[in-house]
Amino acid sequence: MIEYIKGELTEVTPTQAVVEAAGVGYGINISLNTYTAIQTKKEVKLYIHEAIMTGGRDDSYTLYGFVNKQERELYRMLITVSGVGSNTARMILSATTPTELVNVISSGNEKMLKSVKGIGLRTAQRIIVDLRDKMLASGLIADLQSSAAAAGMPILSAEQNEVRDEAVGALTMLGFAPAPSQKVVVDILKAHPELPVEQVIKQALKLIK
């Protein structure tokens, strides 16, 4: 089993990285979160999840890479949920940061999960029901909150989370991608925590590129 791959980042796109280690170039599927973290680096270390499919016409062996163990653990939890496959799990982790996803699941926020492409109401409900207790028992929530605090990332209040989710949902419906929308909205709420959702949306429309 491969735990991680460390080496030179020779190619990178928002969905895939090529890391050369010991003369071998590994094609690794990544989330948008991981892409954001590694895109400017020359040397990277990605924690690996191996997906091996057998029994069909052609066997397949796919590598998924994550910038830290917490994101990989969340990915592994997501793919245990009925109806959530590898690509859907990666889409979820591209739409939210790990800390934000933990907040969404722990608060039972179906609306935010449904804003991710390919996630319907039933799947959103299954993710919340199946993973809320698992995340708490694993210590993942505490780990992510500690990491966010150490990195100086904002931890939003419950009220701000609701404003954020509603604003991101509205922006997504207007055709903006969830990940950049969420980043802009969180930045706005960090600077102006008292703003109502309609003002957050108005400001975000001026800032989203």
Side-chain angles (χ1 to χ4, degrees):
M1 176 182 290
I2 299 174
E3 172 64 13
Y4 62 82
I5 294 175
K6 181 178 181 181
E8 180 185 357
L9 182 65
T10 59
E11 297 177 33
V12 66
T13 71
T15 59
Q16 189 174 61
V18 177
V19 179
E20 183 176 338
V24 178
Y26 296 91
I28 305 168
N29 291 318
I30 59 174
S31 70
L32 192 56
N33 280 310
T34 293
Y35 170 75
T36 301
I38 70 172
Q39 60 178 316
T40 60
K41 295 184 177 181
K42 294 182 178 180
E43 298 284 330
V44 297
K45 179 180 180 179
L46 295 179
Y47 292 91
I48 299 298
H49 172 81
E50 301 170 84
I52 303 171
M53 301 293 292
T54 60
R57 179 177 297 178
D58 295 305
D59 295 344
S60 65
Y61 177 65
T62 306
L63 300 178
Y64 293 87
F66 306 92
V67 71
N68 53 48
K69 290 183 178 181
Q70 289 95 339
E71 188 182 20
R72 181 178 64 179
E73 186 173 355
L74 267 177
Y75 174 85
R76 287 174 170 172
M77 286 185 177
L78 284 167
I79 61 176
T80 67
V81 178
S82 176
V84 179
S86 298
N87 287 330
T88 302
R90 185 166 56 146
M91 185 78 71
I92 293 170
L93 288 168
S94 293
T96 64
T97 67
T99 302
E100 289 163 349
L101 179 57
V102 165
N103 287 336
V104 166
I105 294 173
S106 61
S107 64
N109 193 332
E110 299 170 357
K111 185 184 295 185
M112 182 56 196
L113 284 172
K114 283 174 58 184
S115 71
V116 179
K117 183 179 179 181
I119 300 293
L121 176 60
R122 290 185 179 180
T123 302
Q125 290 172 337
R126 279 198 297 268
I127 291 171
I128 291 167
V129 170
D130 289 1
L131 299 188
R132 185 153 41 188
D133 291 341
K134 286 182 181 179
M135 289 191 312
L136 187 61
S138 71
L140 187 60
I141 294 176
D143 287 346
L144 286 168
Q145 288 179 338
S146 297
S147 297
M153 295 170 60
I155 299 176
L156 303 180
S157 68
E159 293 78 9
Q160 289 173 322
N161 279 329
E162 290 182 9
V163 171
R164 178 203 62 195
D165 295 342
E166 190 172 344
V168 172
L171 292 165
T172 301
M173 291 193 67
L174 290 172
F176 296 98
S181 297
Q182 186 152 252
K183 183 181 185 307
V184 168
V185 167
V186 169
D187 287 344
I188 292 169
L189 286 172
K190 183 181 178 182
H192 306 285
E194 75 291 344
L195 282 183
V197 64
E198 62 271 14
Q199 293 298 324
V200 172
I201 293 170
K202 286 181 180 179
Q203 287 202 25
L205 287 170
K206 298 175 184 178
L207 297 172
I208 294 177
K209 297 179 180 180

